[in-house]
Amino acid sequence: MLTLSISQNYLLIPVKLGAEKQLLTVFSAQDKEKKLYEFEVPFPRGGEAPDWFAAIPMRRHRGETLLLCAPIPDEELSAVRQAENRPEPAPGRPIVHFAPEHGWMNDPNGLVRLADGTARLYCQYHPFGVEWGMMHWGSAKSRDLLHWETGDIALFPDEAGTMFSGCGWRDAENAAGFGPDALLFYYTSAGGTDAPWSRDGVFTQRLAVSTDGGETLEKQPGLLLPNLAHANRDPKVFYHAPSGAYCMALYLSENDFALFRSPDLIHWEQTQFLTLPEMWECPDLFPLSVDGEEKWVFWSADGYYAVGSFDGWRFTPEQPVRMAYGNRIPYAAQTFPREEGRVLSVAWLRLPNAGRGYTGVMALPAELSLVRDGEGWALRMHPCRELFSALREMPEGKAPDAPWLLCSTIPADAGRAHLSFPGGEIVLDMDAGTGRFGETDLAFAPKQPLSLSLLADRAVFELTLADGAFWAPEQNLSPTLAGTPEVTGGNGAAIPFTLRAVE
């Protein structure tokens, strides 16, 4: 057992990748029956050097004495220490895509805007490894959606469950009674998972509240929704102005979802049970307007979506389910609520980032729109407008060792066109309407001019074709972004392009 009088901002817990996990429990010395935290930690053993230190925020415990218990010798447990600041992040992280400083990250959670425009992003986070594990909520914030400041762990596993996915809502109207502009975070407590503390629990929907701009989240007592299905999860809350109520989409099981209504963001009544083929978990429901007509889009984790109508109680699909993505790297996208004049979506990119001390990257926020094509309503994805406000021309066509955006229009008669750039290449068969980008097969209309944009960052590329009709990220394994891109047609002739650095 290790006794610590908390006098600094962080508890630093050593992590050794590949080591056997040990159960670390933290108690209050004033009440030894009060368990505060439970972690599964691959502790360094026998004098091994840690790969990093996981930073556990301790501001709320300053002045307290804590007891740390783990089934390892005290001299090894004593490697846990205190610090005023988090350790230096892992090297090689992207510049304009959010990634964790260390550890594993997956689904975006709790996307919300503060009244001053600051964007808050939370995420599924495992601080003790580069693989999925006991889920926490990590946090970050940004003024421009490009450059993210990593924050502290915001939610920790407890006796009710580990912290699964959820959403955020800025309660400007004070409907819930926590104060104007209080931030409400709806999340799933995943009881019954492998965490020993909550092994006998079930999946339930709960609420945390922040009154300090999202810096600290306070879990509220009780349930918002009891267990409705084995692993029901991922609540997404929004406001439906025509019917004057708050609404929630919730995943139940298999391809089943439920919708709910509330007058006050606290008390919820189910209004619909719906089954949508191919779709599962991480639901979202949002309106898009085109040519004066409003349509609603029901979204799920893999990027499958249904377009239809929504009256505040029931969603009615009006065409078959479609796929938004060009590959299976993006997952669990979520939209920002209350985003004026646009629908802004952020996806988790399932990139391994091998050997980099972290796993997972968030995509650049994308603006969504609807168009008509030969099969009905189709989503289009465009990089957020903030990207284009942060570009600097590179007239010599030489890419810097910093994020950059390359744009070109490939002529319809270019034949077998080729784009080479630091870290990869793209091949386009303009006659067949097919191509290849890393592990991704490309598809577009044949024998027509093709708009192309490629965003390059450390660890990740994002390719957009045909004015947002095709979007696909790929891993960037190159140690540098610097070089001279080339775009050529099948006859070897150069195709013009623009190259701009992202500042």
Side-chain angles (χ1 to χ4, degrees), residues 148-182:
W148 294 89
E149 177 186 343
T150 302
D152 291 339
I153 298 173
L155 290 176
F156 289 86
D158 58 24
E159 68 278 8
T162 54
M163 300 295 99
F164 271 31
S165 291
C167 67
W169 179 263
R170 179 170 61 86
D171 187 10
E173 297 77 20
N174 194 25
F178 294 99
D181 288 327

Side-chain angles (χ1 to χ4, degrees), residues 13-17 44 48-53:
I13 300 176
V15 174
K16 183 64 179 178
L17 297 178
E48 292 180 307
D51 290 301
W52 70 78
F53 285 87

Side-chain angles (χ1 to χ4, degrees), residues 470-487:
F470 186 97
W471 173 74
E474 274 287 351
Q475 183 169 226
N476 176 15
L477 297 175
S478 174
T480 180
L481 296 171
T484 304
E486 293 184 347
V487 186

Side-chain angles (χ1 to χ4, degrees), residues 93-108:
R93 294 163 67 243
I95 305 300
V96 295
H97 293 77
F98 176 67
E101 292 184 337
H102 299 93
W104 164 280
M105 177 188 76
N106 55 291
D107 306 7

Side-chain angles (χ1 to χ4, degrees), residues 105-183:
M105 177 188 76
N106 55 291
D107 306 7
N109 298 155
L111 302 184
V112 69
R113 288 274 196 175
L114 306 187
D116 67 1
T118 299
R120 298 294 319 219
L121 178 152
Y122 301 83
C123 60
Q124 293 284 276
Y125 181 52
H126 179 216
F128 301 109
V130 290
E131 71 290 327
W132 190 91
M134 194 184 293
M135 285 293 104
H136 304 57
W137 272 28
S139 72
K141 62 183 177 181
S142 175
R143 293 289 301 178
D144 62 3
L145 300 176
L146 303 175
H147 304 91
W148 294 89
E149 177 186 343
T150 302
D152 291 339
I153 298 173
L155 290 176
F156 289 86
D158 58 24
E159 68 278 8
T162 54
M163 300 295 99
F164 271 31
S165 291
C167 67
W169 179 263
R170 179 170 61 86
D171 187 10
E173 297 77 20
N174 194 25
F178 294 99
D181 288 327
L183 302 181

Side-chain angles (χ1 to χ4, degrees), residues 401-442:
D401 190 20
W404 46 261
L405 179 71
L406 182 150
C407 296
S408 182
T409 298
I410 311 301
D413 61 357
R416 192 171 178 82
H418 184 261
L419 165 59
S420 64
F421 51 90
E425 65 175 3
I426 298 171
V427 177
L428 302 165
D429 187 331
M430 298 300 293
D431 294 329
T434 60
R436 189 74 172 172
F437 170 43
E439 300 298 317
T440 300
D441 291 323
L442 310 181

